[in-house]
Amino acid sequence: MPLLFFLIVMTLATSVVTCQNTDMKAASAKHKKTFEMNLSEEEWRKRLTPEEFYVLRQKGTERPFTGRFYKHFDTGTYVCKGCGNELFDSESKFDSHCGWPSYDRTLSPGSIVERPDYSYGMIRTEVLCSKCGGHLGHVFDDGPTSTGQRYCINSVAIDFKKREK
Ligand SMILES: [Zn+2]
């Protein structure tokens, strides 16, 4: 009888461990996050210009002071160039003098995904589109407004929808 009891306990213990492993795998997959819009590299190349592909899909950076939205202050919404996801409102844009369009907050908390970026020997926070995972730029906590945030975004990674006043 004690042996049978031991076997039952062991079986239960094993199944608990198995469940935990499955949960951990699920949590790990969640951390990597699969995006709603998930195209192959070839599909992205067809959809984007070479420069857009370089920034959005290969985490490139456009040259400072060259982007079309750097000195752009119309009223409207900035959207992801890859998928059209609404990212920033023109009201959050400020003149940062850093060479890239800059915003002090996102349009909604779910617009973007932030990830630690340790490339080039720096510790930065990468900003990705929450819908397609496209690389947009980085966010820094040295912003000049009350939010303290400075979203430094590549012009080629975004598009603009003008709002009639
Ligand atoms: Zn996107």
Side-chain angles (χ1 to χ4, degrees), residues 54-55 58-62 64 98 100 113-128 135-142 149-154:
Y54 168 66
V55 173
Q58 298 182 309
K59 306 188 187 300
T61 302
E62 71 190 7
C98 73
W100 293 276
V113 172
E114 296 181 8
R115 272 187 191 166
D117 174 9
Y118 303 110
S119 62
Y120 302 104
M122 293 181 273
I123 302 170
R124 295 181 294 174
T125 303
E126 182 190 6
V127 176
L128 306 168
H135 170 82
L136 304 169
H138 291 89
V139 60
F140 304 92
D141 58 8
D142 59 2
Q149 303 283 284
R150 176 169 62 93
Y151 289 88
C152 191
I153 305 299
N154 291 282

Side-chain angles (χ1 to χ4, degrees), residues 37 44 56-57 79-85 87 111 128-134 136 157:
M37 189 170 166
W44 278 120
L56 282 163
R57 308 313 309 178
V79 301
C80 174
K81 192 74 210 256
C83 71
N85 185 22
L87 303 170
S111 306
L128 306 168
C129 169
S130 64
K131 194 174 163 192
C132 72
L136 304 169

Side-chain angles (χ1 to χ4, degrees), residues 8-140:
I8 290 170
V9 168
M10 281 311 287
T11 309
L12 285 172
T14 309
S15 56
V16 166
V17 169
T18 311
C19 280
Q20 279 174 348
N21 279 344
T22 312
D23 286 350
M24 277 165 71
K25 272 179 200 157
S28 158
K30 203 173 179 182
H31 184 68
K32 276 177 189 160
K33 186 169 168 60
T34 46
F35 293 94
E36 181 186 328
M37 189 170 166
N38 205 359
L39 303 184
S40 69
E41 185 182 322
E42 197 188 339
E43 287 169 317
W44 278 120
R45 280 192 191 277
K46 278 185 203 159
R47 197 180 165 94
L48 303 170
T49 67
E51 199 185 13
E52 288 162 4
F53 184 84
Y54 168 66
V55 173
L56 282 163
R57 308 313 309 178
Q58 298 182 309
K59 306 188 187 300
T61 302
E62 71 190 7
R63 284 188 299 125
F65 307 103
T66 61
R68 65 180 177 133
F69 295 125
Y70 172 51
K71 292 283 183 192
H72 179 268
F73 288 96
D74 275 354
T75 304
T77 308
Y78 293 87
V79 301
C80 174
K81 192 74 210 256
C83 71
N85 185 22
E86 296 192 336
L87 303 170
F88 301 99
D89 191 276
S90 56
E91 281 181 16
S92 68
K93 195 169 188 298
F94 64 91
D95 194 355
S96 68
H97 310 287
C98 73
W100 293 276
S102 299
Y103 308 84
D104 70 359
R105 60 191 176 274
T106 58
L107 194 67
S108 71
S111 306
I112 61 140
V113 172
E114 296 181 8
R115 272 187 191 166
D117 174 9
Y118 303 110
S119 62
Y120 302 104
M122 293 181 273
I123 302 170
R124 295 181 294 174
T125 303
E126 182 190 6
V127 176
L128 306 168
C129 169
S130 64
K131 194 174 163 192
C132 72
H135 170 82
L136 304 169
H138 291 89
V139 60
F140 304 92

